[in-house]
Amino acid sequence: MFYGPKVWDPVLIISQIVALQCLWYLSLCCLLWLLLGPYVPRLSMHHVLDWRWVSFHSFVGWMVILANVGNAIAASVFLVLVVERAKKCLDFAATLYILHLVVCVLYGGFSHTFAWWIVNVVGLVITAIMGEWLCLQREMRDIEIGSGGGRRRTTEMVSVRSSSMVAVTPRAVTASSFQPPFGASAPGSGGSTMRTASVGSGSGGKQMPTGVV
């Protein structure tokens, strides 16, 4: 979607960061609504940005953790859609979680629990590794050639073309293969043919030479 030439484009980079961050928060809110919504009276931004809700000691805390882990997997898919390049996945994933850290600090203060740090570090690793793997799979797909929709490899096309070419050499005409007409000698044989004529009538006529060819 945002793929283009390899040039420094700040507007493109900023738009990719904003799009990725918005998709990340949107998917996190959807996962919290699915996993945590049935068990709490009301969802709020505290469940998204407050580090106190990330805990290994409560059911609600585990639901928030599962939502963050699932969101990391979803973020790897967003990297394929937005970034599209495997070598850029680590940079964008780190930027994504650093901005999330800044927003969480501004919203609820600096985190003092290991649970929040462990969940976010694991989420960063999952996003970067899975995003890079998915981008590599997309980059290594076969190139479709032809309007018929068939998928052929370029190497296969080259091999088929090369195998279908047959070297045709002109057939050399030699003196031995040349068939002279009746009564004439083959060219290049060095021999000559004596023409004769019959003098007289009947079988007793004499054969007189008339010339050499």
Side-chain angles (χ1 to χ4, degrees):
M1 182 170 57
F2 293 99
Y3 177 72
K6 296 180 180 179
V7 295
W8 172 254
D9 191 352
V11 177
L12 175 62
I13 296 175
I14 293 174
S15 62
Q16 287 176 320
I17 293 174
V18 172
L20 192 62
Q21 202 78 29
C22 292
L23 290 173
W24 191 82
Y25 280 118
L26 178 62
S27 64
L28 180 58
C29 292
C30 293
L31 290 173
L32 287 172
W33 179 74
L34 291 174
L35 297 175
L36 189 60
Y39 306 104
V40 295
R42 183 175 59 89
L43 287 174
S44 65
M45 293 302 297
H46 295 285
H47 300 96
V48 179
L49 301 176
D50 196 344
W51 54 268
R52 297 173 182 85
W53 289 96
V54 181
S55 174
F56 295 114
H57 305 291
S58 64
F59 177 79
V60 175
W62 273 105
M63 292 297 102
V64 174
I65 291 172
L66 290 177
N68 279 273
V69 174
N71 194 43
I73 299 175
S76 63
V77 179
F78 299 151
L79 287 175
V80 180
L81 299 176
V82 177
V83 180
E84 298 182 342
R85 309 302 293 172
K87 63 181 181 180
K88 297 180 180 180
C89 287
L90 179 59
D91 297 335
F92 278 91
T95 304
L96 173 67
Y97 278 89
I98 289 174
L99 291 178
H100 178 60
L101 170 64
V102 172
V103 173
C104 290
V105 170
L106 293 176
Y107 183 85
F110 192 80
S111 176
H112 298 286
T113 61
F114 287 103
W116 188 92
W117 291 101
I118 292 174
V119 169
N120 283 274
V121 170
V122 171
L124 171 60
V125 172
I126 293 174
T127 302
I129 294 178
M130 285 196 63
E132 185 174 352
W133 182 80
L134 291 174
C135 288
L136 284 175
Q137 296 300 315
R138 183 173 182 176
E139 293 174 4
M140 296 175 63
R141 287 188 308 183
D142 297 337
I143 301 175
E144 295 184 0
I145 302 176
S147 58
R151 181 173 294 179
R152 298 180 180 178
R153 296 178 186 269
T154 307
T155 55
E156 293 178 356
M157 294 292 294
V158 174
S159 61
V160 169
R161 290 184 178 181
S162 61
S163 63
S164 62
M165 293 181 180
V166 179
V168 180
T169 57
R171 183 179 179 183
V173 180
T174 60
S176 59
S177 62
F178 180 76
Q179 298 295 331
F182 179 77
S185 61
S189 61
S192 62
T193 302
M194 181 72 70
R195 288 186 177 180
T196 59
S198 176
V199 180
S201 60
S203 60
K206 294 181 179 181
Q207 299 291 334
M208 298 295 294
T210 59
V212 178
V213 180

